[in-house]
Each structure stands twice: as structure tokens, then as C-alpha cells.
Amino acid sequence: MVSFIIIGKNIQHTISLCLKSVESFIKENGITNAEIIYVDSNSTDETINIARQFPVKIIQIEGQVNAAIARNVGAKYSSGEFLFFIDGDMELLLDFYPKVFNPITMVPDYPFINGYWQDKFYDSNFQYLHQSKIVLPKSVEFITVTGGLMLVARWLWENSGGMDERLIRSQDHDLGLRISKLGFPAKRFNLLFANHHTVSYFDKKRLISFYFSKALLSTGVLMRKHVFSLAYLKRYRNNFIYVLYLFISFCMLAISWRLGICLLAFYFMLQLVRTVKNSKKETLLINSFIFKSFLNFYTLLGFLFYYPKKAKFSIKAVSIIDNT
């Protein structure tokens, strides 16, 4: 059996599209043994009412909820040999199935799999803006980090301990690094698995929520957990260098404030050059520059001072909707 585990919070604009795409994926590819589970992190909009229109198991959680908790809960309440994790703002595509799933067993032959998705960006009112450009590689790759869209064999998920519930952000990357240590880096197919319908990362409301939450501090916890891992340093080499540079700059401020300020000014100049080099949309330059610059500050703060405890949450309700 394959358990499709969908997670979300306040995704009334995308939950129907997501669930319809999973239903179509199961039907069109002839998957005879599957279940769909939706884990909701205490939505306050119409998400739950929309989800109830589909034949799925709905689990509602409340308290200090995050994506790691939602995925762990979904796995706990699932029955499949393979766990297919999908974010509720994703639209699963149909045509990658025959290259990923074994036609006889109807499950993958490798225990840890993901693919690519294309971002389709919206504003805070969920009006379409643009989509990202994506160039697929020519062959399959094996990588040490993953994203929110992945297939994991249950035995490997359980051996890894699931997701670290202390992390508000980068939980999937942490899982990928830990599973790679078990000898199974993620097999990333050079195929589009989904369309990702999301509010722009540089939307003002989204940026403010990031800056005034503890989410970005999780990148520092991720660094602290894996700083001696070659896989982590290879994947996050540039970020590690920037964070180390910031640490040295602040140390120099205590010795010579003039030299420290010069080092910090050079840091911001590097970030500006990096932003201009990588960004093709002029209207996003300032937001991108601010985000890239402060992400490393948050990472340093998280690395040095942020020691989160395990979040407290509870199961609010479990319901199985049968619309047949």
C-alpha cells in the first residue's frame, strides 16, 4: 500500500486542487492499494470544510504545530509500506508514475525518492503572478537533502526516527541528511512531480511573518546538528562561509569597531552583488537582498543561542470521510 500524506494549514485556495490531483494520480495509474490522509494544522479558514468533500482520512492537530509534527502524525496514522508526503499547496502530476513505480509491485524499487516541482507564485490575495523557470538535469541524481514532496519506505522512515519536531523550518533537509547517513541518499528523478501553487516568497506579508517568527532560526539549528557532516558542508558551503564571516565580523567589533563595521559593510556589498547576479526581476531585488542578508544573521543567532524544546501539540479530531 502507498499512503499519500498531505499536510497543510489555511490552504483553502489549493486543498481541492491537491486532493483532486492525488485522486487522479491513483485512478489514472491504476494504483489498487492506496489511502489518502490529510493532516491539518489547526486551519481557521475553509480548508477543513473543503477537505471533507473528498474520501480521505482527516486528522486535525492543534497546539504548537509545524510541518514536521504534521508529517510525523500522518505517518503514525498511515498503513502503507511507502509514505508519499505532499504539501497541500501542490498539484501532483500524472506522468512520472511509470518511471518511478515498479509496474508489478506498484511501489518504488528504491526506499527514498523525490523529484522536481515548478513553483507558481501568487500574491497574498492568491492572484497569479508568475511561475519559476526550471531546467531539468539529463539524468537521475542522488542528493543528501530533500523537500516537502517525497516518497519514503516505512522501514527507512522508522529507522531514521521521522522528522525533528523542534524544527519549524528545514525539517525536510534535516531528514534527508540523516537518511543519507543511513546509506540511502534521496534518489531525485529528472522529472516534474508536481506544480507548487504558493504565495511568493517575497510577498510582504509572508516576509514579515518570517522575520518576526522563529522559523529562520531553525537554519541555525540545522547547521549545529550537521556542521561536522561533509554532506551538509557540501550542500550549504556558501551559507556556512557567510555565517562564519559574520561571526568573525562581530568578534572584530569587540576588538576594533572600525574594522568590524568595514567587514560588515563588505558583507552587505557581497550580498548585493549576489542578489543582482542571481535575480532577473528588478522589482524583487530589494526583497531578495534583505532576505539573503538577514537569513545568515538568523542562522548565526540560531546556531549560537536557539535551543528549541520539543513542541507540545494534541490531536483535535480524526475522521474518515466516505463519499462513495
Side-chain angles (χ1 to χ4, degrees):
M1 175 185 280
V2 179
S3 297
F4 293 83
I5 301 171
I6 302 163
I7 67 168
K9 178 178 182 178
N10 293 334
I11 50 171
Q12 63 181 6
H13 297 292
T14 60
I15 184 60
S16 179
L17 182 63
C18 179
L19 290 172
K20 285 180 180 178
S21 72
V22 174
E23 284 187 330
S24 296
F25 186 86
I26 294 171
K27 180 180 178 180
E28 296 299 324
N29 291 304
I31 302 176
T32 57
N33 199 9
E35 65 177 350
I36 304 175
I37 298 171
Y38 172 59
V39 184
D40 185 85
S41 296
N42 206 25
S43 289
T44 56
D45 61 4
E46 291 298 309
T47 300
I48 288 295
N49 291 332
I50 297 172
R52 285 177 177 150
Q53 299 173 20
F54 295 84
V56 300
K57 179 187 289 185
I58 299 175
I59 306 168
Q60 296 172 257
I61 57 178
E62 59 184 357
Q64 297 172 304
V65 294
N66 59 48
I69 290 172
R71 293 191 182 106
N72 285 347
V73 169
K76 181 179 178 181
Y77 279 81
S78 67
S79 304
E81 299 171 8
F82 258 87
L83 312 176
F84 198 156
F85 292 99
I86 305 166
D87 286 348
D89 56 3
M90 289 183 172
E91 174 191 6
L92 200 62
L93 302 178
L94 301 176
D95 51 2
F96 68 86
Y97 175 84
K99 294 186 178 181
V100 174
F101 285 73
N102 185 301
I104 299 175
T105 63
M106 293 189 176
V107 295
D109 293 324
Y110 188 78
F112 191 25
I113 287 172
N114 69 2
Y116 290 83
W117 59 82
Q118 185 165 41
D119 290 317
K120 295 183 180 294
F121 295 113
Y122 300 77
D123 63 19
S124 55
N125 295 316
F126 222 76
Q127 298 298 310
Y128 179 75
L129 298 174
H130 61 89
Q131 68 180 21
S132 63
K133 293 183 179 180
I134 184 169
V135 178
L136 298 175
K138 295 181 179 180
S139 60
V140 172
E141 302 170 307
F142 287 88
I143 60 173
T144 53
V145 297
T146 185
L149 180 70
M150 57 187 166
L151 267 160
V152 188
R154 178 176 294 279
W155 64 266
L156 185 57
W157 172 269
E158 292 177 349
N159 285 346
S160 71
M163 289 200 160
D164 187 342
E165 297 179 356
R166 299 173 303 159
L167 297 177
I168 305 174
R169 193 171 186 265
S170 301
Q171 317 95 332
D172 40 17
H173 289 189
D174 172 63
L175 178 72
L177 286 163
R178 287 188 285 112
I179 289 182
S180 69
K181 290 180 181 180
L182 298 176
F184 295 96
K187 184 178 183 180
R188 182 165 64 182
F189 283 82
N190 54 331
L191 302 168
L192 275 178
F193 277 26
N195 289 321
H196 183 212
H197 302 271
T198 184
V199 174
S200 171
Y201 300 128
F202 298 116
D203 179 81
K204 184 182 294 185
K205 290 182 179 179
R206 185 168 187 175
L207 280 177
I208 291 174
S209 68
F210 264 132
Y211 292 145
F212 289 94
S213 73
K214 297 179 180 179
L216 294 180
L217 295 175
S218 292
T219 58
V221 180
L222 182 71
M223 178 180 288
R224 191 167 63 239
K225 289 183 66 176
H226 300 283
V227 69
F228 297 111
S229 165
L230 291 178
Y232 173 84
L233 294 176
K234 182 179 180 180
R235 174 65 175 79
Y236 292 99
R237 179 181 63 253
N238 290 339
N239 289 343
F240 178 79
I241 291 172
Y242 284 126
V243 171
L244 181 61
Y245 181 93
L246 278 177
F247 178 73
I248 294 172
S249 300
F250 285 121
C251 289
M252 291 305 302
L253 278 173
I255 300 173
S256 170
W257 67 269
R258 288 187 177 89
L259 180 57
I261 290 177
C262 287
L263 289 174
L264 288 174
F266 185 67
Y267 165 80
F268 284 109
M269 186 183 73
L270 286 175
Q271 292 295 354
L272 182 60
V273 171
R274 178 187 175 199
T275 302
V276 172
K277 181 179 178 181
N278 294 335
S279 178
K280 295 182 179 180
K281 290 187 174 294
E282 185 176 356
T283 56
L284 298 181
L285 278 178
I286 186 64
N287 287 334
S288 180
F289 168 69
I290 293 172
F291 182 79
K292 291 177 187 297
S293 300
F294 281 92
L295 175 61
N296 295 308
F297 278 98
Y298 275 97
T299 302
L300 179 60
L301 287 174
F303 181 86
L304 295 175
F305 306 114
Y306 185 50
Y307 291 84
K309 297 180 180 179
K310 190 173 181 179
K312 296 180 180 179
F313 70 97
S314 60
I315 307 295
K316 182 178 179 180
V318 178
S319 57
I320 300 176
I321 309 299
D322 186 359
N323 293 331
T324 58

